[in-house]
Amino acid sequence: MPDSDVPDPAATAASASATPAQDPLALESQVCFALSAAARAMVAVYRPVLEPLRLTHPQYLVMLALWQHGDLSMTSIAALVHLDPGTVTPLVKRLESTGYVTRRRDADDARVMLVSLTAEGAALRSVAEGIPAQVVARTGLTLDELADVRRSVTRVVEAGRDAGVL
């Protein structure tokens, strides 16, 4: 006897193209679902590219911030990578244990923890310069398509910031 709570995959597939137009709560019509799925897919694209560098995707974001800006406070890193400071602390500690960064207290304000690249972390930048091309190749999208996605998603982030939710 079929379970009436479980949707029939054949029926769901057959009506998938019509469902979003008819049902504003259809999963396929939700921007949040598309963005969430896209984020997971993109992290999956990066994972095998970053593994040889001993980096996770969030650690890579921290390294990008440091390569671009130099020494940063933990608070600045959190703001730049759009993560909670409590999430950044363990990321930076793992980067420190890998030998890519060091942490130290600011001489002028001991409450501020500064993060700096080590020589090894700075040298990793030249290897990481090949990552964007690998990502383009792995996605199968063109540079223009990826730039369009980045612009659209950036507008979503800015709208959230303007609305006071970020």
Side-chain angles (χ1 to χ4, degrees), residues 63 82 91 93 124 153 159 166:
M63 294 298 288
H82 299 282
L91 292 174
K93 284 182 178 180
L124 190 63
V153 172
L166 295 176

Side-chain angles (χ1 to χ4, degrees), residues 86-97:
T87 302
V88 171
T89 299
L91 292 174
V92 170
K93 284 182 178 180
R94 285 193 299 275
L95 287 169
E96 186 175 38
S97 70

Side-chain angles (χ1 to χ4, degrees), residues 62 66 71-75 77 85-107 110-118:
V62 170
L66 291 166
D71 295 359
L72 291 168
S73 69
M74 296 287 272
T75 305
I77 292 171
T87 302
V88 171
T89 299
L91 292 174
V92 170
K93 284 182 178 180
R94 285 193 299 275
L95 287 169
E96 186 175 38
S97 70
T98 307
Y100 293 158
V101 303
T102 60
R103 294 178 303 144
R104 70 180 188 292
R105 296 279 174 197
D106 186 317
R111 297 170 297 174
V112 176
M113 182 68 72
L114 294 175
V115 181
S116 303
L117 291 165
T118 63

